[in-house]
């Protein structure tokens, strides 16, 4: 049985998980950057719709970029590993691949706090397809 749909969804999910690792690394990189914080503060200070309290609250929330970056990296690595193993198992053991896709979808979605929505959704669809699709039988159907 051809499983082209599952392969395509799985490979795209693996690629998006790898890209999510880069996004987490960018968050970690910008977390302690004084120039980045100064540039953001200058941009918000020039916005007439924001008062100084809003700008201060935004700047205080920039400290959470580091932990969010690490969460994204952990979720992306787990998604990458589960997705890659599932893609490799797809031809020989489609049920096991489906379970791995679904576990990867749940982990990516929960650990990344929604940032891994797209790879998680692709893994979930691929996992359901693996578990639901049955190979065609050549036996005639008797009514």
């Amino acid at each position: 049985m051809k499983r082209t749909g599952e392969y395509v969804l799985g490979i795209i999910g693996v690629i998006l998980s790898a890209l999510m690792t880069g996004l987490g690394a960018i968050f970690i990189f910008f977390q302690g950057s004084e120039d980045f914080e100064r540039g953001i503060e200058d941009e918000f200070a020039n916005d007439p719709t924001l008062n100084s309290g809003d700008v201060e609250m935004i700047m205080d929330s920039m400290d959470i970029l580091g932990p969010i970056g690490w969460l994204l990296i952990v979720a992306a690595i787990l998604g990458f590993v589960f997705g890659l193993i599932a893609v490799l198992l797809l031809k020989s053991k489609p049920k096991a691949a489906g379970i791995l896709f679904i576990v990867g979808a749940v982990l990516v979605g929960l650990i990344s706090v929604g940032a891994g929505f797209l790879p998680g959704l692709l893994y979930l669809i691929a996992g359901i397809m693996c578990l639901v699709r049955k190979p065609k039988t050549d036996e005639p159907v008797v009514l």
Side-chain angles (χ1 to χ4, degrees):
M1 168 179 217
K2 290 187 177 182
R3 298 214 175 251
T4 307
E6 291 93 329
Y7 276 116
V8 169
L9 291 172
I11 291 170
I12 292 172
V14 167
I15 292 169
L16 290 176
S17 291
L19 291 175
M20 200 167 70
T21 305
L23 180 66
I26 289 171
F27 278 13
I28 292 170
F29 176 76
F30 282 126
Q31 189 239 349
S33 174
E34 294 292 327
D35 293 334
F36 177 72
E37 289 180 8
R38 204 170 317 116
I40 294 290
E41 190 172 6
D42 290 343
E43 282 296 319
F44 286 135
N46 292 333
D47 190 353
T49 60
L50 296 174
N51 60 28
S52 63
D54 292 337
V55 174
E56 188 173 317
M57 183 181 69
I58 292 170
M59 295 312 295
D60 288 340
S61 67
M62 297 291 283
D63 292 336
I64 200 165
L65 283 180
I68 288 175
W70 283 111
L71 280 177
L72 286 177
I73 288 175
V74 168
I77 289 172
L78 287 174
F80 182 83
V81 169
F82 276 95
L84 190 61
I85 293 171
V87 168
L88 294 175
L89 285 177
L90 194 56
K91 188 71 172 176
S92 61
K93 298 179 181 178
K95 299 289 184 200
I99 292 169
L100 285 174
F101 274 135
I102 292 174
V103 168
V106 170
L107 289 176
V108 168
L110 291 179
I111 293 174
S112 69
V113 193
F117 172 75
L118 192 55
L121 181 65
L122 293 174
Y123 286 157
L124 183 64
I125 294 170
I128 291 171
M129 286 174 68
C130 285
L131 295 174
V132 172
R133 291 178 63 197
K134 306 283 185 214
K136 293 181 183 178
T137 58
D138 292 336
E139 298 175 14
V141 176
V142 178
L143 298 176

